[in-house]
Amino acid sequence: LSCSVMGLGPIFKLKIEVTNAGADNLQNVPLCVGYDPEIYRCERPSQTVPLLLPNVTLTYEVVIKSIHPEGKADNVRVIFVNPNSSVPLVSGIVSMPMSELDEDM
């Protein structure tokens, strides 16, 4: 799992790269993004990855908007959940940068 943050804010794009290091195909894997709702908003905090093939890297992008009036930063959690249980397959914590202030806030 690899994550990078693009943008200066208040809108950021998380580029998430994941590789299935196992020997079996994984189907319908939930991808969840966890964050403080007082600081961020995300239109699609969860989505389903239809297929993860062994040794193939896939890239997903998630748009996150900073809604904090002072541009406060916090950590965002990225979690790929095992579709057959509630145990995460892999997870990571992304340290978000402070956001430029939104003139419309």
Side-chain angles (χ1 to χ4, degrees), residues 49-67:
V49 177
L51 182 64
L52 284 176
L53 298 171
N55 301 312
V56 175
T57 300
L58 296 177
T59 302
Y60 288 88
E61 293 181 348
V62 175
V63 176
I64 295 182
K65 182 175 183 178
S66 172
I67 58 170

Side-chain angles (χ1 to χ4, degrees), residues 13-79:
K13 189 182 290 186
L14 283 183
K15 183 178 175 184
I16 303 165
E17 294 182 340
V18 63
T19 304
N20 177 359
D24 299 325
N25 296 340
L26 296 174
Q27 296 179 331
N28 301 319
V29 178
L31 163 59
C32 302
V33 179
Y35 52 89
D36 184 339
E38 302 268 329
I39 299 175
Y40 299 110
R41 182 164 296 133
C42 181
E43 286 185 24
R44 293 185 61 200
S46 64
Q47 53 188 291
T48 301
V49 177
L51 182 64
L52 284 176
L53 298 171
N55 301 312
V56 175
T57 300
L58 296 177
T59 302
Y60 288 88
E61 293 181 348
V62 175
V63 176
I64 295 182
K65 182 175 183 178
S66 172
I67 58 170
H68 195 273
E70 298 170 8
K72 184 178 176 182
D74 197 15
N75 292 330
V76 171
R77 290 164 302 287
V78 177
I79 306 163

Side-chain angles (χ1 to χ4, degrees), residues 1-18:
L1 176 66
S2 170
C3 296
S4 57
V5 181
M6 296 183 282
L8 299 174
I11 297 176
F12 297 100
K13 189 182 290 186
L14 283 183
K15 183 178 175 184
I16 303 165
E17 294 182 340
V18 63

